[in-house]
Amino acid sequence: MHDDLIARAEAWLAEDPDPETRTELAGLIETGDVTELTARFAGTLQFGTAGLRGELGAGPMRMNRTVVIRAAAGLAAYLKAEGSSGGLVVIGYDARHKSEEFARDTAAVMTGAGLRAAVLPRPLPTPVLAFAIRHLGAVAGVEVTASHNPPRDNGYKVYLGDGSQIVPPADAKIAAEIDAVASLADVPRPSDGWETLDDSVLDAYLARTDAVLAADSPRTARTVYTAMHGVGKDVLLAAFARAGFPAPELVAEQAEPDPEFPTVAFPNPEEPGAMDLSFAKARETAPDLVIANDPDADRCAVAVPDGGDWRMLRGDEVGALLAAHLVRRGARGTFAESIVSSSLLGRIAGKAGLPYEETLTGFKWIARVEGLRYGYEEALGYCVDPDGVRDKDGITAALLVAELASELKERGRTLLDLLDDLAVEHGLHATDQLSVRVEDLSVIADAMSRLRERPPAELAGLAVTRAEDLTRGTDRLPPTDGLRYTLDGARVIVRPSGTEPKLKCYLEVVVPVTDHSALPAARKRASELLTAIKQDLSTAAGI
């Protein structure tokens, strides 16, 4: 076994084109570090609907140039098999370690395979790449990013010519083509022949951002903004300047791209502590809003003054606010969200007489809804201009939130006032999440099988009126690994995360509200129910 492991590592080393990972792997072979080599060569990073994502390093279980070149070759073979020979593939990248190299390798592979390749001019937000695919008439797009993962990670996200991320069966077909790549020596990689785009694509994206706003809307909201050490700052500032908003106050420590993400444990606005510097800046400058993007700027977080300090709104709260704003502006078309997001969106759409759809988790599904006008997901993702970007977009979402805050400000009101109005109109929809990060993935499998074998009959004293195993699919949804419980006045969904070693449980309770004076009691009741559901669910799942 030991000899076989060393032989596989030496074979990998022989074709690794990256001096950095070659040195790293040679060191592991020399010291005979069996534990580390076993971890690196236990299999291969699996290509799925999220593309690839993993820790940087040498070997097939890590993100590196060899893995990326193979992935690009598999994608090129798939595109040619689907009849797209000679088509354009557009490539974007963020500012993480190795992102630019991975983008360049992808361009070389596409060029060598007889496709045309065009690379964005510098690290730019993921939504700019999603926009560029349709704008340039590309057959596919690749974004090199690990979004809000830890600094040690990178990733590879694939879009097809419709501008949305891949879904089955494309993922399995691409994975099969990747597996068929025998040796890197078989993959032609010329040193030039692809195009590096100029700023005209970015300019076209920015010109579209204006279109999400009403022509005559007020633009008075003052904001504090953080790019979370990512690539959002320049594009967001340009979009805000074009729209005529006051220039956002920057969180200086997090304004510039930095692949080490030095001020945050996880560069995700949802993680504890990630917004601390933004709140400190807000206490200093007293803006109307705090806006944060994640590092590739496809997500948007919003915080507001609340009771003398600052509070980050939940993704579901922002999702409902944007929906209400678009309805008031007379938006037509389908409103859509993932099954783990708040059912309040369905109520808002229903009352406005608009079509409404629920999809599986992920914008790859939301973006494919027919006639989509607005889509959102509780994990801070919002699609407010589906004709321009068929994916979540943290830049245009930020503009729309700033417009809504400006309109309310002109009337002496706030985002929290509008949330109160929505609660009185549709019932108080309160959401929460129970998220368990594990070292050992069998903990997640055990919890799921325990819940399947012994589904709870009640949670927090509320009867479970319906228990669904989503692996069987439903009349509206394709199969997925998840469980959905409908309770009397609540809903629970349990699923393993698609991108991290986590078990995620999404909770929602709905408490009827007669008028504004009943809101404090309704909030207290909702909070008690959510706490009790969490406890009972933990017990039932054995986590």
Side-chain angles (χ1 to χ4, degrees):
M1 175 63 196
H2 176 257
D3 290 349
D4 174 53
L5 181 63
I6 296 293
R8 278 187 293 146
E10 284 174 340
W12 185 275
L13 180 65
E15 63 172 22
D16 187 343
D18 187 336
E20 216 171 296
T21 44
R22 283 176 63 81
T23 303
E24 181 189 328
L25 186 54
L28 294 174
I29 293 168
E30 200 176 316
T31 56
D33 190 335
V34 175
T35 309
E36 194 57 34
L37 286 169
T38 302
R40 307 294 185 97
F41 288 85
T44 56
L45 271 189
Q46 288 306 297
F47 185 92
T49 52
L52 292 166
R53 206 179 278 188
E55 192 175 334
L56 289 160
M61 288 297 288
R62 298 285 184 267
M63 281 296 294
N64 50 62
R65 289 183 60 198
T66 304
V67 164
V68 164
I69 289 164
R70 287 172 171 273
L75 173 60
Y78 165 82
L79 291 170
K80 288 162 77 172
E82 296 288 314
S84 294
S85 296
L88 174 69
V89 178
V90 61
I91 301 150
Y93 58 100
D94 68 10
R96 283 176 179 266
H97 293 300
K98 302 279 183 189
S99 287
E100 191 172 353
E101 291 97 312
F102 293 168
R104 194 172 56 240
D105 282 331
T106 301
V109 171
M110 296 301 158
T111 305
L115 291 143
R116 289 179 299 125
V119 185
L120 292 179
R122 59 184 169 281
L124 285 166
T126 294
V128 177
L129 180 274
F131 166 80
I133 294 164
R134 291 165 58 113
H135 179 68
L136 298 172
V139 296
V142 171
E143 176 70 17
V144 180
T145 181
S147 190
H148 54 271
N149 274 38
R152 62 176 184 273
D153 290 1
N154 213 329
Y156 200 79
K157 192 183 275 195
V158 176
Y159 297 76
L160 293 181
D162 62 355
S164 48
Q165 295 173 52
I166 53 167
V167 293
D171 57 338
K173 289 181 178 177
I174 296 168
E177 295 285 7
I178 294 169
D179 291 344
V181 178
S183 155
L184 284 204
D186 303 337
V187 182
R189 284 179 290 137
S191 55
D192 56 22
W194 58 90
E195 182 187 357
T196 300
L197 295 165
D198 60 18
D199 275 357
S200 58
V201 169
L202 177 60
D203 293 341
Y205 168 82
L206 284 167
R208 263 207 86 91
T209 62
D210 303 354
V212 306
L213 303 173
D216 53 354
S217 61
R219 314 275 164 94
T220 54
R222 290 173 49 254
T223 53
V224 157
Y225 171 72
T226 178
M228 205 70 64
H229 299 297
V231 298
K233 181 197 71 171
D234 291 347
V235 179
L236 182 127
L237 289 182
F240 269 58
R242 284 179 69 103
F245 285 103
E249 292 267 3
L250 298 178
V251 178
E253 302 94 324
Q254 298 175 335
E256 299 304 325
D258 187 335
E260 291 297 323
F261 303 100
T263 67
V264 286
F266 283 89
N268 176 355
E270 291 182 293
E271 292 283 346
M275 297 289 285
D276 288 358
L277 287 169
S278 305
F279 293 161
K281 185 75 176 174
R283 289 179 199 116
E284 217 178 276
T285 57
D288 301 300
L289 287 175
V290 171
I291 288 173
N293 285 139
D294 68 338
D296 68 327
D298 62 352
R299 295 166 195 246
C300 174
V302 180
V304 293
D306 183 19
D309 206 359
W310 285 83
R311 170 168 88 83
M312 193 166 115
L313 297 178
R314 289 186 165 277
D316 284 319
E317 291 176 310
V318 177
L321 287 167
L322 291 177
H325 182 47
L326 288 168
V327 164
R328 201 173 137 259
R329 275 186 20 191
R332 309 308 299 163
T334 303
F335 279 30
E337 65 180 341
S338 62
I339 55 170
V340 299
S341 305
S342 170
S343 60
L344 178 53
L345 184 69
R347 306 245 178 133
I348 292 170
K351 183 146 190 194
L354 296 173
Y356 164 75
E357 287 285 338
E358 268 191 328
T359 73
L360 293 184
T361 311
F363 261 82
K364 55 185 177 279
W365 299 108
I366 295 171
R368 286 186 154 72
V369 167
E370 208 171 313
L372 181 68
R373 173 60 188 86
Y374 169 64
Y376 98 89
E377 182 155 81
E378 49 68 50
L380 310 183
Y382 315 95
C383 172
V384 300
D385 175 25
D387 290 341
V389 176
R390 288 268 169 100
D391 198 4
K392 52 188 178 288
D393 181 346
I395 307 293
T396 47
L399 283 172
L400 206 58
V401 169
E403 177 184 64
L404 172 57
S406 300
E407 285 189 2
L408 291 165
K409 184 179 178 179
E410 300 291 291
R411 308 205 304 269
R413 308 186 77 233
T414 67
L415 295 178
L416 293 181
D417 293 331
L418 181 51
L419 282 173
D420 286 351
D421 293 351
L422 291 172
V424 172
E425 192 175 351
H426 303 286
L428 177 70
H429 289 62
T431 55
D432 203 356
Q433 207 184 106
L434 171 64
S435 181
V436 184
R437 187 180 287 273
V438 299
E439 291 293 322
D440 178 0
L441 289 174
S442 69
V443 173
I444 293 175
D446 291 348
M448 293 298 286
S449 57
R450 187 179 281 116
L451 288 169
R452 283 194 170 100
E453 286 157 21
R454 293 189 294 280
E458 61 167 46
L459 294 167
L462 304 174
V464 175
T465 55
R466 191 170 178 208
E468 297 167 278
D469 186 343
L470 299 175
T471 47
R472 302 191 180 103
T474 72
D475 54 347
R476 307 301 297 271
L477 297 169
T480 186
D481 186 8
L483 300 164
R484 177 162 62 180
Y485 302 117
T486 306
L487 295 87
D488 196 7
R491 182 216 65 198
V492 174
I493 291 172
V494 184
R495 61 179 278 274
S497 167
T499 54
E500 298 173 276
K502 278 182 173 180
L503 182 68
K504 291 184 153 185
C505 311
Y506 303 84
L507 325 175
E508 178 177 46
V509 300
V510 183
V511 181
V513 183
T514 48
D515 56 32
H516 282 76
S517 67
L519 279 168
R523 284 208 177 86
K524 184 168 183 289
R525 169 75 177 144
S527 174
E528 288 164 356
L529 282 173
L530 287 168
T531 302
I533 290 172
K534 266 190 194 178
Q535 287 168 346
D536 291 356
L537 190 62
S538 296
T539 305
I543 50 177

